[in-house]
């Protein structure tokens, strides 16, 4: 099933990278994601927020099929996610992911962490992969740590390596799954700075985060989820100033006023 | 409040107090730290005092190193009779391998050491070529030991002694690790057929005593195989020992695989790595590192279990020793025989154990902060 979908609709100006249509997911009997519909334009930055257990992480994990959906369709960059491993690999190549707990490979140096996928998935020669890796390590401001092991770095540094590692695959979309929630407070800023820079360069980003400051400055759209549904989505200004749904109002009052 | 003599931020790093470092401090903290500790120290010293001189006297000072029989030994000294081991040394080492062909065993042993070097030592010069040689070694060893192609053929029932132990031990160790890895991965597979087969294999071989498997290998297999097929007994034993050890190995490695955080699998998947690539480069290096103590434990167990082949008539060192004791010239010297065989096994197993510690330490660098 190598079904590709024509995205170039005549009347829309922007190219759409991710299409999610009527998507449902269950964990056993438990209905985690209910009727999700979402289109993501190229270059768009989306922040997804919501109470814990609302399905926001599960949603972005469905986009690179770390989780399988049971109904509806997810089309990433023209490739539909199905049981066909070829399609899954194709999508994963184009979609980078940054995890809450970094998930760096502890037995490899920082540089090897960054070159592994380019060498084995993109089949780049080692020298080319290494020079790309150094370029990105410089962008996240830790080129001097290239030959250390992840265990020797601070949490903030590890997360920046994880971002560089994803970027080395030159992905078209980046997914961030609570990238700052496992970090000490003084390290959150260095990671957010890197993400802001990435956003200004035009990367398509989907970000699950509770950093509302980041959402306000960077996001084109904020999505609020609760109990597996998208409750509300809007431009950040509107979203924060005039939330329409009462569950959104409650959530915002809880995280903003304390 | 007491005034510090240094201003805030200017306190230098001082050396620790002198009574907390040095040999006296070591003795105090390790040997004499509490009344119980003192009692244990005294008891240990008394125990060593009782045992060491007596052992030394029996094994060396009052021992006979030459002689033609037990009685001759006894006439010379009251302790151990090492002349027995000396006379039977070749039998212990080579079994019944023809005397004029024994150089082939010596050569195989030297080549084994050469093949092991690049496998065990990652900074070995010419390691790449060494590893090619290590891959070719089993075939070279088979040719040297069995003969043919220009060498006099030697039947496997002439194998025996330490040489037999090494043949079974090294073969079992070499093949049980890769088979164990495949079984452990199979047990975690998403494909039900692979999973069920792996679980069935592991549970069967782990649930049956090795002796039973060896009996099956020596007798029952004849019923299952078409009549007239000859299937070398040693080969059957090698297969059984390998499969038995593989089942244990698989469970040890499964422990390592399960100890890895899910995030490692997810990170590998999210980058688009294929299954075998991510297993080879990311999952297995970490899982095997965690499993080193268990893996070496299984190796040592397997190595010592090779002595069980005595019950199906293969003459391992214990078999050789027991048949030597039956000789009227040397009867009653079982202490010497068992001690000698024990020392041989201890050296091999202690070597493996130390190597595993070295490996753990080497691989641990860079993980810890």
């Amino acid at each position: 099933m190598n079904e590709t979908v024509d995205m170039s609709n005549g009347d829309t100006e922007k190219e759409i990278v991710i299409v999610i249509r009527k998507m449902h997911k269950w964990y056993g009997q438990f209905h985690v994601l209910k009727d999700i519909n979402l289109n993501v334009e190229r270059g768009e930055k989306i922040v997804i927020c919501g109470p814990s257990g609302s399905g926001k992480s599960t949603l972005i994990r469905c986009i690179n099929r770390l989780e399988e959906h049971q109904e509806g369709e997810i089309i990433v960059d023209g490739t539909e996610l199905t049981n066909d491993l070829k399609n899954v690999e194709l999508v994963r190549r184009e979609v980078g992911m940054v995890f809450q707990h970094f998930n760096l490979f502890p037995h490899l140096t920082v540089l090897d962490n960054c070159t592994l996928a380019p060498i084995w998935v993109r089949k780049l020669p080692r020298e080319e992969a290494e020079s790309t890796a150094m370029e990105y390590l410089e962008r996240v401001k830790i080129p001097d740590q290239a030959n250390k092991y992840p265990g020797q770095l601070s949490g903030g540094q590890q997360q920046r390596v994880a971002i560089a590692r994803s970027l080395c695959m030159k992905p078209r979309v980046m997914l961030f799954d609570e990238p700052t929630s496992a970090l000490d407070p003084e390290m959150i800023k260095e990671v957010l700075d890197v993400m802001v820079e990435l956003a200004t360069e035009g990367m398509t980003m989907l970000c699950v985060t509770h950093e509302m400051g980041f959402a306000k400055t960077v996001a084109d759209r904020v999505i609020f989820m609760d109990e597996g549904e998208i409750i509300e989505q809007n431009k950040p200004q509107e979203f924060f100033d005039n939330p329409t749904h009462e569950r959104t109002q409650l959530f915002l009052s809880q995280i903003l006023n304390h | 409040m007491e005034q510090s003599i240094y201003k805030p931020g200017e306190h230098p790093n001082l050396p620790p107090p002198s009574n907390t470092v040095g040999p006296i401090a070591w003795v105090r903290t390790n040997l004499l730290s509490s009344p119980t500790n003192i009692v244990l120290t005294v008891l240990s010293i008394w125990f060593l005092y009782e045992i060491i001189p007596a052992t030394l006297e029996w094994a060396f000072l009052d021992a006979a190193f030459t002689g033609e029989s037990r009685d001759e030994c006894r006439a010379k000294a009251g302790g151990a009779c090492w002349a027995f081991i000396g006379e039977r040394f070749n039998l212990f080492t080579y079994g019944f391998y023809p005397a004029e062909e024994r150089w082939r065993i010596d050569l195989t042993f030297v080549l084994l050491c050469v093949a092991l070097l690049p496998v065990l030592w990652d900074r070995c010069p010419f390691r790449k070529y060494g590893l090619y040689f290590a891959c070719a070694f089993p075939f070279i060893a088979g040719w040297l030991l069995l003969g043919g192609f220009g060498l006099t053929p030697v039947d496997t029932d002439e194998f025996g002694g330490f040489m037999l132990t090494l043949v079974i031990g090294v073969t079992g160790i070499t093949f049980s690790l890769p088979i164990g890895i495949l079984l452990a991965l199979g047990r975690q597979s998403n494909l039900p057929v692979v999973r069920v087969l792996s679980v069935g294999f592991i549970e069967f071989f782990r649930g049956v005593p090795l002796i039973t498997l060896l009996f099956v290998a020596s007798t029952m297999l004849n019923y299952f195989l078409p009549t007239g097929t000859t299937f070398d007994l040693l080969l059957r034993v090698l297969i059984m020992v390998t499969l038995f050890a593989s089942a244990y190995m698989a469970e040890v490695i499964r422990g390592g695989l399960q100890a890895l955080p899910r995030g490692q699998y997810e990170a590998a998947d999210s980058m688009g790595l294929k299954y075998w690539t991510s297993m080879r480069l990311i999952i297995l290096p970490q899982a095997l590192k965690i499993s080193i103590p268990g893996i070496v434990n299984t190796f040592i167990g397997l190595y010592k279990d090779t002595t069980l082949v005595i019950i199906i008539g293969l003459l391992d060192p214990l078999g050789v020793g027991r048949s030597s004791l039956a000789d009227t010239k040397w009867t009653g010297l079982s202490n010497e025989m068992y001690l000698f065989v024990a020392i041989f096994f201890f050296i091999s197993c202690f070597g493996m154990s130390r190597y595993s510690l070295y490996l753990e330490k080497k691989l641990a660098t860079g993980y810890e902060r």
Side-chain angles (χ1 to χ4, degrees):
Chain A
M1 276 231 314
N2 256 325
E3 183 189 337
T4 52
V5 178
D6 185 21
M7 303 271 194
S8 51
N9 269 339
D11 43 297
T12 44
E13 290 168 28
K14 283 219 169 175
E15 186 191 355
I16 293 178
V17 205
I18 299 173
V19 180
I20 300 176
R21 247 182 253 140
K22 294 188 174 148
M23 191 264 276
H24 292 258
K25 172 166 179 60
W26 287 265
Y27 281 131
Q29 290 293 313
F30 178 51
H31 201 168
V32 250
L33 292 177
K34 300 165 189 163
D35 193 24
I36 304 289
N37 290 286
L38 180 67
N39 284 0
V40 182
E41 291 172 358
R42 166 112 35 236
E44 198 177 11
K45 294 116 192 80
I46 296 179
V47 163
I48 304 169
C49 60
S52 68
S54 59
K56 48 198 195 309
S57 284
T58 311
L59 171 59
I60 68 164
R61 286 160 62 86
C62 282
I63 294 174
N64 66 354
R65 210 168 176 85
L66 286 182
E67 304 285 353
E68 219 171 284
H69 61 282
Q70 282 87 25
E71 256 180 41
E73 54 184 9
I74 303 178
I75 301 163
V76 182
D77 214 21
T79 311
E80 183 174 2
L81 283 169
T82 58
N83 279 327
D84 189 341
L85 270 182
K86 280 233 166 57
N87 284 5
V88 173
E89 274 164 18
L90 207 63
V91 166
R92 284 175 175 170
R93 229 180 268 186
E94 305 303 333
V95 177
M97 183 149 196
V98 175
F99 299 87
Q100 182 178 5
H101 296 288
F102 332 135
N103 296 353
L104 294 173
F105 306 129
H107 63 302
L108 300 176
T109 61
V110 165
L111 188 63
D112 288 340
N113 263 280
C114 293
T115 56
L116 190 125
I119 290 175
W120 290 94
V121 180
R122 289 241 189 262
K123 313 283 180 203
L124 291 185
R126 177 169 288 276
E127 301 79 52
E128 196 183 328
E130 280 183 2
S131 71
T132 315
M134 286 312 294
E135 215 173 278
Y136 282 111
L137 286 174
E138 243 152 75
R139 292 248 302 261
V140 302
K141 298 177 189 68
I142 33 176
D144 46 323
Q145 313 283 3
N147 292 313
K148 286 195 181 166
Y149 288 90
Q152 296 169 301
L153 306 185
S154 73
Q157 288 173 322
Q158 291 194 46
Q159 193 60 297
R160 285 185 282 151
V161 172
I163 295 174
R165 176 175 75 175
S166 292
L167 291 177
C168 282
M169 283 292 281
K170 310 234 159 122
R172 305 201 173 182
V173 179
M174 284 286 284
L175 307 174
F176 291 85
D177 188 2
E178 306 205 25
T180 55
S181 34
L183 295 174
D184 289 339
E186 73 262 37
M187 291 170 184
I188 291 178
K189 187 176 175 299
E190 62 187 57
V191 171
L192 287 180
D193 284 348
V194 169
M195 289 168 62
V196 170
E197 204 186 307
L198 196 60
T200 51
E201 285 163 14
M203 176 64 78
T204 313
M205 291 163 70
L206 275 90
C207 214
V208 173
T209 184
H210 295 122
E211 298 296 332
M212 290 304 137
F214 175 78
K216 279 177 189 161
T217 48
V218 170
D220 298 313
R221 189 162 25 140
V222 180
I223 292 176
F224 175 72
M225 288 184 71
D226 193 18
E227 293 181 358
E229 287 177 276
I230 295 181
I231 302 291
E232 183 166 351
Q233 45 180 319
N234 216 329
K235 291 195 162 59
Q237 187 80 39
E238 286 294 301
F239 179 84
F240 288 109
D241 294 348
N242 304 308
T244 50
H245 202 284
E246 64 181 278
R247 272 192 277 183
T248 321
Q249 291 162 359
L250 182 66
F251 176 75
L252 286 176
S253 73
Q254 276 166 343
I255 63 163
L256 294 177
N257 309 328
H258 57 107
Chain B
M1 202 175 92
E2 193 107 14
Q3 189 73 37
S4 175
I5 51 171
Y6 302 106
K7 282 186 195 153
E10 289 181 6
H11 203 302
N13 297 324
L14 301 173
S18 62
N19 61 351
T20 58
V21 288
I24 295 176
W26 186 87
V27 169
R28 201 185 293 154
T29 49
N30 290 291
L31 301 181
L32 310 169
S33 63
S34 68
T36 326
N37 196 215
I38 294 172
V39 171
L40 286 174
T41 303
V42 171
L43 276 177
S44 307
I45 291 172
W46 173 78
F47 181 73
L48 292 175
Y49 169 78
E50 285 289 310
I51 225 156
I52 289 179
T55 313
L56 282 179
E57 183 160 1
W58 180 82
F60 299 107
L61 303 176
D62 197 17
F65 293 92
T66 53
E68 289 302 310
S69 70
R70 175 175 178 262
D71 298 335
E72 230 174 280
C73 279
R74 286 283 177 268
K76 280 191 200 165
C81 175
W82 296 121
F84 164 50
I85 304 297
E87 199 211 64
R88 298 284 167 146
F89 189 79
N90 279 340
L91 197 62
F92 271 114
T93 313
Y94 302 110
F96 302 102
Y97 213 79
E100 67 277 10
E101 302 291 339
R102 282 176 186 166
W103 62 270
R104 280 154 54 178
I105 296 178
D106 297 335
L107 180 61
T108 310
F109 183 73
V110 172
L111 292 181
L112 172 68
C113 298
V114 174
L116 280 181
L117 201 67
V119 175
L120 300 181
W121 184 34
D122 65 340
R123 262 169 296 174
C124 167
F126 307 108
R127 184 164 192 235
K128 201 172 149 196
Y129 301 102
L131 289 175
Y132 288 144
F133 175 72
C135 293
F137 173 75
F139 303 99
I140 301 173
W143 173 58
L144 278 172
L145 293 179
L146 294 168
F149 303 104
L151 292 173
T152 323
V154 177
D155 211 46
T156 52
D157 33 327
E158 286 170 289
F159 286 22
F162 297 137
M163 170 254 185
L164 183 66
T165 302
L166 282 173
V167 168
I168 302 175
V170 172
T171 312
I173 285 172
T174 317
F175 290 100
S176 65
L177 185 60
I179 297 176
I181 290 173
L182 291 179
L183 285 171
L185 293 177
R187 190 164 190 161
Q188 298 206 322
S189 171
N190 293 327
L191 309 170
V193 179
V194 176
R195 194 169 57 236
V196 166
L197 284 178
S198 304
V199 172
F201 181 98
I202 293 169
E203 296 302 343
F204 173 75
F205 277 95
R206 220 163 45 125
V208 175
L210 179 57
I211 295 189
T212 320
L213 293 175
L214 292 176
F215 270 124
V216 170
S218 78
T219 57
M220 297 238 323
L221 230 49
N222 285 341
Y223 293 110
F224 302 129
L225 293 171
T227 43
T229 37
T230 51
F231 189 7
D232 190 86
L233 177 62
L234 179 62
L235 182 61
R236 297 187 215 169
V237 167
L238 287 177
I239 291 172
M240 285 303 185
V241 167
T242 304
L243 296 183
F244 184 75
S246 303
Y248 276 88
M249 197 61 74
E251 287 299 279
V252 168
I253 293 166
R254 183 165 71 102
L257 288 172
Q258 285 178 346
L260 281 194
R262 260 182 74 82
Q264 292 291 310
Y265 293 87
E266 288 178 353
D269 284 348
S270 75
M271 298 195 303
L273 289 172
K274 291 196 192 313
Y275 177 79
W276 287 108
T277 318
S278 73
M279 286 301 135
R280 189 163 58 88
L281 297 174
I282 292 161
I283 305 303
L284 283 176
Q286 297 184 66
L288 291 179
K289 191 221 138 201
I290 302 171
S291 326
I292 288 173
I295 291 174
V296 175
N297 199 24
T298 310
F299 282 168
I300 290 177
L302 178 155
Y303 193 74
K304 292 191 298 182
D305 280 351
T306 57
T307 51
L308 290 175
V309 299
I310 191 177
I311 61 149
I312 54 163
L314 295 182
L315 285 183
D316 80 312
L318 282 180
V320 170
R322 290 178 58 164
S323 67
S324 301
L325 288 177
D327 186 341
T328 44
K329 259 196 336 182
W330 300 111
T331 180
L333 293 176
S334 49
N335 284 345
E336 285 84 343
M337 190 277 280
Y338 283 117
L339 187 65
F340 174 63
V341 175
I343 288 171
F344 164 77
F345 275 99
F346 180 78
I347 290 173
S348 320
C349 296
F350 188 65
M352 286 192 249
S353 154
R354 297 314 292 184
Y355 178 74
S356 93
L357 285 182
Y358 154 81
L359 202 59
E360 273 173 67
K361 230 179 235 165
K362 196 189 75 164
L363 294 178
T365 52
Y367 283 67
E368 275 78 31
R369 282 224 164 176

